[in-house]
Amino acid sequence: MMSALAVHSEAAKPFNNAERMLRAAVGRRFAATLLATGSDRTPVDAVWAQKGVCVGCSEHKVRTHSRELMRAWGDTYLITAQKLTDGLAVSRLLSVPFYVAALLLPDDMCYLWHITEDGSWEQRKTATQNTCEGGVAVRENAFLDFSTAESFPLRPLSLLLRNR
């Protein structure tokens, strides 16, 4: 039986495809294989492996907002605070780093926060969009500072040149 989660809706398909591209880009960047977790309800989206050993875990987000717009909103990335709490718990259990990876579609850029290293964020209850299908949710949200993120293009120049 198909889940009623928004992640399975028609509106989510482009986001799911972009998340797969984000996972591949992070894997290329860090010479790791990112394995998607097997359930919609797992506390992280991927575990990282190198030479058969788990070396990290991550939460992935795809957004339709540009970096320029994010700067206008305070130069922070909003994420549900529970995602960070859950990711840190998995990180501690596995004794590996936890990351948040975000793809900003208009810019074709990836951003990666090393949460276990930085571990600090502003947090407050705010109203935000509920899912990719819309709606409003009031929840405890965290705000990750873009100045602490590593950035890299979704499609490196070498891949673009190879595909010509």
Side-chain angles (χ1 to χ4, degrees):
M1 179 174 197
M2 185 63 99
S3 168
L5 293 174
V7 72
H8 296 296
S9 71
E10 282 299 312
K13 284 183 179 180
F15 292 92
N16 294 336
N17 290 336
E19 190 275 331
R20 282 189 285 279
M21 292 174 17
L22 172 61
R23 192 176 340 123
V26 172
R28 281 190 305 275
R29 179 72 174 194
F30 294 93
T33 301
L34 272 66
L35 304 168
T37 52
S39 165
D40 299 330
R41 306 221 184 264
T42 56
V44 295
D45 289 323
V47 291
W48 301 21
Q50 289 175 330
K51 298 179 181 175
V53 175
C54 181
V55 296
C57 59
S58 52
E59 176 68 19
H60 303 160
K61 298 296 178 190
V62 175
R63 296 292 180 253
T64 58
H65 308 305
S66 69
R67 181 75 171 85
E68 182 179 344
L69 187 56
M70 297 272 186
R71 279 188 192 96
W73 290 340
D75 214 21
T76 58
Y77 180 78
L78 182 146
I79 185 170
T80 305
Q82 191 65 48
K83 296 283 187 182
L84 302 182
T85 304
D86 291 348
L88 284 170
V90 171
S91 168
R92 285 185 198 104
L93 287 170
L94 296 175
S95 297
V96 298
F98 169 59
Y99 302 89
V100 170
L103 169 59
L104 302 187
L105 288 171
D107 306 324
D108 220 19
M109 287 294 290
C110 304
Y111 296 87
L112 191 82
W113 288 267
H114 187 169
I115 301 300
T116 49
E117 190 171 277
D118 184 33
S120 62
W121 58 83
E122 180 187 338
Q123 185 172 314
R124 66 182 179 276
K125 192 170 282 197
T126 60
T128 58
Q129 184 172 312
N130 191 32
T131 70
C132 63
E133 295 179 317
V136 175
V138 176
R139 59 173 71 105
E140 198 67 27
N141 286 308
F143 299 83
L144 302 176
D145 193 323
F146 271 99
S147 69
T148 63
E150 177 178 346
S151 62
F152 52 95
L154 177 65
R155 296 176 190 92
L157 186 57
S158 60
L159 276 181
L160 292 174
L161 293 174
R162 201 174 340 157
N163 291 332
R164 287 185 166 209

